Amino acid sequence: MNHLIETVGLTKHYGKHVALKDVSIHVRQGEIYGLIGKNGAGKSTLFKTMMGLAPSYNGEIKLYGKSSVSELDDARQRIGFMMGAHFFPYLTAKENLEYFRKMKGITDTKEVDRVLKLVDMEKIKKPFKSFSMGMKQRVSIANALLGSPDVIILDEPINGLDPQGIADFRRLVQKLNKEQKITFIVSSHILGELELMATRFGFIHDGVLIEELDRETIRNKTEEKVVVKVDDLKKAIYLLEQAYEQIEYTVNGDQELVISGMTNKVDEFAQLFVSNELKLFKLISQEISIQDYYLNLISKGGQKNV
Ligand SMILES: Nc1ncnc2c1ncn2[C@@H]1O[C@H](COP(=O)(O)OP(=O)(O)OP(=O)(O)O)[C@@H](O)[C@H]1O
Ligand SMILES: [Mg+2]
């Protein structure tokens, strides 16, 4: 598997404090990678270390498969990193971004118009200080887009956005991911904020990357469902289809019936099977939410789950 960004056993100390412990993160091309961890978990430290802004670490950083110092410097030019950039309050979005364009040594004078258009801000002429949080966020993303990076790292971009702002932000990231083929790494301390956006998740706790999972795997672990095992699978399916027109189910490798949703019908299912003389070996409902899953992970004290 080719990883665009990878660390191998990355460990970072601040004095005696260990901010990252043996972190091996894997980000593939085309992903929207959600890095989830509470305050102080090590998210910003991981980004800064990857981007060469926090020297002196142990372990290895690989960007585009390369790991020598000069190759890492080159690779970092292709990564847009947004971490609380400070904008001039009395300048417009365009004037602010012109400043950053020149700072970054980008000579194409059309570049600022290009990135403003991508975030749908090209028509706004007001000063930065009058922008809503969502608009400020879009200027930050436009800033990260300068120079056409193929990876963008956003550190806690959702902080302070209202639900509408979160939804707009999600759509923007998904659009840029799809149309501009940009890989994203986005951090948050609230899993729910990234739940609908990220295609893969890494969970970090006390400097330890506990688990990396793709969205489908999390869905399978957290989706509401009822799992049934009986002595006569065909008969059970027949009974259920007769009784519930809308039922959706699959049969797993253990010949168990996995019914989507319907966790409030467990008692009815039991009665239906037993009254039709089926032997019931297993009947469980799973109602774990994605947030429960995350809390459960970190309640184990940050033990790696791999
Ligand atoms: N420059 C620094 N000097 C000393 N300790 C630091 C420094 N930067 C971070 N730390 C410590 O390292 C740990 C990880 O901090 P980091 O900022 O990476 O966490 P975070 O996950 O980004 O948290 P937040 O959600 O608050 O942004 C924390 O315990 C923090 O206090
Ligand atoms: Mg941080």
Side-chain angles (χ1 to χ4, degrees):
M1 172 68 66
N2 263 347
H3 295 110
L4 220 55
I5 293 186
E6 186 179 357
T7 63
V8 187
L10 195 66
T11 298
K12 166 83 193 157
H13 291 82
Y14 287 117
K16 283 198 177 129
H17 180 70
V18 193
L20 297 175
K21 292 174 206 158
D22 197 20
V23 170
S24 298
I25 193 173
H26 308 86
V27 181
R28 302 174 198 141
Q29 184 154 25
E31 290 188 322
I32 301 176
Y33 187 105
L35 183 67
I36 312 290
K38 63 180 191 175
N39 296 132
K43 305 178 295 293
S44 301
T45 302
L46 177 56
F47 292 159
K48 282 189 242 173
T49 310
M50 288 186 326
M51 291 305 290
L53 303 173
S56 82
Y57 56 85
N58 292 311
E60 196 180 5
I61 298 171
K62 286 190 194 169
L63 305 176
Y64 303 89
K66 307 281 171 58
S67 57
S68 78
V69 174
S70 65
E71 287 168 327
L72 287 180
D73 280 344
D74 287 345
R76 284 176 182 130
Q77 303 297 318
R78 296 160 63 184
I79 302 175
F81 182 31
M82 188 202 91
M83 198 184 137
H86 293 288
F87 294 99
F88 300 102
Y90 293 96
L91 299 185
T92 63
K94 184 166 176 165
E95 288 162 346
N96 266 294
L97 292 181
E98 278 298 340
Y99 169 82
F100 286 105
R101 174 182 72 80
K102 287 172 193 156
M103 283 248 301
K104 290 181 184 177
I106 298 165
T107 51
D108 182 357
T109 53
K110 295 198 193 82
E111 181 64 356
V112 168
D113 287 333
R114 182 188 76 87
V115 296
L116 281 173
K117 203 159 182 219
L118 284 176
V119 301
D120 211 12
M121 288 282 287
E122 76 276 25
K123 296 204 177 78
I124 295 165
K125 311 286 183 214
K126 294 190 295 184
F128 184 82
K129 71 179 177 67
S130 65
F131 290 175
S132 67
M133 282 297 290
M135 289 160 83
K136 287 180 177 166
Q137 205 53 265
R138 278 189 279 156
V139 179
S140 294
I141 293 174
N143 189 21
L145 283 164
L146 285 171
S148 300
D150 30 32
V151 183
I152 289 185
I153 299 176
L154 305 173
D155 193 15
E156 301 256 9
I158 297 167
N159 256 348
L161 292 183
D162 61 19
Q164 180 64 47
I166 296 175
D168 291 344
F169 170 78
R170 180 175 71 240
R171 273 192 287 274
L172 175 60
V173 167
Q174 287 174 329
K175 182 185 91 167
L176 294 169
N177 173 252
K178 199 161 160 234
E179 293 174 6
Q180 307 291 316
K181 310 271 178 268
I182 297 172
T183 302
F184 278 88
I185 309 176
V186 185
S187 74
S188 176
H189 54 278
I190 301 171
L191 175 59
E193 291 180 343
L194 300 186
E195 190 181 340
L196 295 172
M197 187 175 90
T199 54
R200 220 147 71 88
F201 295 90
F203 296 100
I204 188 167
H205 183 65
D206 284 347
V208 178
L209 190 74
I210 306 172
E211 194 167 38
E212 285 184 305
L213 286 173
D214 59 38
R215 202 239 269 289
E216 279 311 301
T217 312
I218 291 205
R219 276 239 177 103
N220 283 336
K221 290 189 186 212
T222 59
E223 194 183 34
E224 286 196 5
K225 60 191 177 190
V226 180
V227 182
V228 181
K229 188 155 177 106
V230 287
D231 59 341
D232 187 340
L233 182 66
K234 274 194 186 143
K235 186 169 171 186
I237 291 174
Y238 173 78
L239 290 170
L240 287 169
E241 286 183 341
Q242 292 298 309
Y244 306 95
E245 217 174 292
Q246 305 292 336
I247 195 159
E248 283 180 34
Y249 61 87
T250 53
V251 176
N252 71 16
D254 295 330
Q255 292 298 296
E256 294 170 337
L257 201 56
V258 182
I259 302 163
S260 303
M262 302 184 83
T263 47
N264 58 343
K265 297 269 193 277
V266 173
D267 291 345
E268 281 180 33
F269 293 159
Q271 200 154 22
L272 180 69
F273 296 145
V274 173
S275 63
N276 285 281
E277 284 156 16
L278 281 175
K279 262 203 194 114
L280 196 54
F281 300 129
K282 182 178 189 178
L283 177 66
I284 53 166
S285 76
Q286 175 182 287
E287 296 179 64
I288 180 171
S289 74
I290 199 162
Q291 187 66 18
D292 291 340
Y293 181 78
Y294 167 54
L295 292 175
N296 185 35
L297 257 188
I298 63 174
S299 73
K300 291 179 195 158
Q303 296 294 310
K304 278 193 195 183
N305 219 12
V306 284

